[in-house]
Amino acid sequence: MISETILVTGACGQLGTEIVTELRKRYGSSSVIATDVVRPTHQGLLDGPFELLDITNQAQLVALLSKYRVTQLYHLAAILSAKGEQDPKLAWHVNFTGYIAVLDAAVAYGKIAKLYFPSSIAVFGNDTPKQNTPQQTVTDANTVYGISKFAGERFSAYYYKHHGLDIRSLRYPGIISHSTMPGGGTTDYAVHIYHEAVLKGRYTSFLSADTYLPMMYMPDALKATFALMDAEAIQITERGSYNLGAMSFCPEDVAKAIRVHIPEFEIDYAPDSRQQIADTWPQSIDDSVARADWGWKPDYDLSAMTADMLHHVRERYLVTV
Ligand code: NAD
Ligand code: AKB
């Protein structure tokens, strides 16, 4: 086993829970320090060290990095797009001021070999090309979440250049998973729909039937994250954040995929404020730079993901078919 000590911020979230679990499989439970502003409840987080940490508290983060002799940092803590619009100043404070605190803590501590910072398709906006959105293009984000992620991307490149921090980043699409519920994003419908399909046989979507967005199943998100973090530094040509794609679908497509397994499944539509956010985001992503630089290739399409999601969601609620 490779000797690394890794600290994860925002570890109790949708991605954090799974990234910590996977890191603990790879490096050993005691070598992965999970941190968050809330205490963990998920089983996967209870088998190793946990520390309460507000990422805007730079001094406490430096103390934890020294205490555990941390060598890698995964900075996942954030307020997602829809939740961020309810309190834009808090979203900026956590997502941007918090990220600067993390960067400065890493510089002050001086022994972080690699730092992971997830960005999002939310960096794109109205004037971005919607189909096959290129790596380098207009980034006129409309939400505070998207603005803070784009600022974070530029600060990642800046700290790489001026402080030599080996920061790596992916612009995740909407992530779909079954272990934890999503944390307040515009793409959350694509998780909720599977739970409601199993529990109630019907779902009311907060996005319209034909709202296409880029999406990815969690196993692919983990595959991409670790491929990027395992890559040699020389392979990384993009020090802002890599476009990352897997599939693109709309709520009606998911409903059809679910009906293959649950023929009586019904869906209706009641778009809310999240529709305006979704309308500014890309519909599909050109991730050719990630494919060329470190060999990115997704495994799951909508039909494979739907079969797996329904299997696990049924297991969770002990529903037999
Ligand atoms: P999430 O909302 O599920 O989890 C975020 C976690 O951050 C929560 O556990 C929360 O308690 C914690 N947090 C909030 N404020 C904090 C603070 N001040 N200090 C410390 N922790 C704090 O989010 P997620 O879906 O797991 O996303 C993880 C990262 O991936 C985020 O940076 C997000 O922007 C990015 N991302 C996620 C998606 C997705 O679809 N899930 C897509 C694109 C990018
Ligand atoms: C959100 O909808 O806010 C996230 C994201 C795509 O960044 N899922």
Side-chain angles (χ1 to χ4, degrees):
M1 201 172 274
I2 314 153
S3 174
E4 296 283 355
T5 304
I6 302 173
L7 187 139
V8 181
T9 74
C12 297
Q14 186 193 5
L15 272 147
T17 304
E18 308 234 14
I19 285 178
V20 167
T21 304
E22 188 55 36
L23 285 170
R24 284 185 174 159
K25 275 189 213 150
R26 292 172 140 227
Y27 297 102
S29 291
S30 60
S31 300
V32 180
I33 324 311
T35 73
D36 204 298
V37 274
V38 296
R39 289 203 173 276
T41 50
H42 195 278
Q43 193 56 38
L45 292 179
L46 300 175
D47 69 343
F50 176 84
E51 299 271 0
L52 274 178
L53 170 72
D54 181 331
I55 42 123
T56 60
N57 186 339
Q58 189 183 321
Q60 193 197 347
L61 177 52
V62 174
L64 287 177
L65 295 175
S66 300
K67 174 180 167 187
Y68 288 100
R69 300 183 184 190
V70 172
T71 57
Q72 289 188 26
L73 188 44
Y74 281 63
H75 173 50
L76 307 180
I79 310 273
L80 299 193
S81 58
K83 203 170 159 191
E85 292 309 282
Q86 288 159 18
D87 191 343
K89 286 187 181 145
L90 176 69
W92 181 256
H93 183 62
V94 172
N95 296 358
F96 183 69
T97 312
Y99 186 38
I100 297 297
V102 167
L103 291 172
D104 285 338
V107 171
Y109 167 66
K111 292 178 192 126
I112 294 297
K114 287 183 207 170
L115 194 157
Y116 180 64
F117 168 71
S119 185
S120 163
I121 52 166
V123 299
F124 300 117
N126 281 322
D127 290 327
T128 305
K130 296 245 176 300
Q131 304 297 340
N132 265 334
T133 301
Q135 176 68 45
Q136 303 294 349
T137 186
V138 177
T139 45
D140 54 343
N142 287 277
T143 55
V144 172
Y145 173 69
I147 296 167
S148 65
K149 285 291 176 186
F150 188 62
E153 290 186 6
R154 296 322 308 151
F155 268 76
S156 299
Y158 187 90
Y159 272 66
Y160 171 67
K161 185 170 178 199
H162 293 284
H163 297 284
L165 269 184
D166 185 353
I167 306 168
R168 300 168 182 213
S169 177
L170 298 171
R171 287 172 175 155
Y172 289 132
I175 306 296
I176 294 122
S177 66
H178 52 80
S179 289
T180 54
M181 295 307 276
T186 304
T187 58
D188 291 11
Y189 91 84
V191 177
H192 297 156
I193 192 169
Y194 289 103
H195 290 263
E196 301 281 301
V198 167
L199 289 173
K200 299 181 187 157
R202 54 162 299 105
Y203 179 66
T204 300
S205 170
F206 59 76
L207 296 184
S208 65
D210 58 352
T211 303
Y212 278 88
L213 287 171
M215 298 279 188
M216 179 175 283
Y217 196 30
M218 182 63 87
D220 275 336
L222 296 175
K223 179 181 168 183
T225 306
F226 294 117
L228 176 70
M229 291 303 277
D230 289 345
E232 297 297 329
I234 197 165
Q235 291 173 263
I236 318 282
T237 64
E238 175 52 62
R239 287 293 176 175
S241 190
Y242 279 98
N243 275 9
L244 187 72
M247 56 183 122
S248 175
F249 56 72
C250 63
E252 193 59 29
D253 291 339
V254 191
K256 280 187 196 139
I258 289 174
R259 278 190 205 110
V260 172
H261 306 268
I262 308 174
E264 63 282 11
F265 176 68
E266 284 175 22
I267 186 164
D268 61 3
Y269 299 93
D272 64 18
S273 58
R274 288 168 281 193
Q275 183 69 48
Q276 277 110 59
I277 299 176
D279 287 344
T280 70
W281 286 359
Q283 297 186 352
S284 60
I285 295 290
D286 172 1
D287 59 6
S288 50
V289 181
R291 288 174 188 251
D293 280 5
W294 40 273
W296 166 240
K297 190 169 173 292
D299 292 328
Y300 284 85
D301 61 11
L302 176 58
S303 119
M305 176 181 80
T306 298
D308 202 57
M309 274 296 284
L310 289 174
H311 168 76
H312 287 287
V313 173
R314 280 171 169 148
E315 212 171 47
R316 175 182 174 135
Y317 298 116
L318 300 174
V319 176
T320 48
V321 276

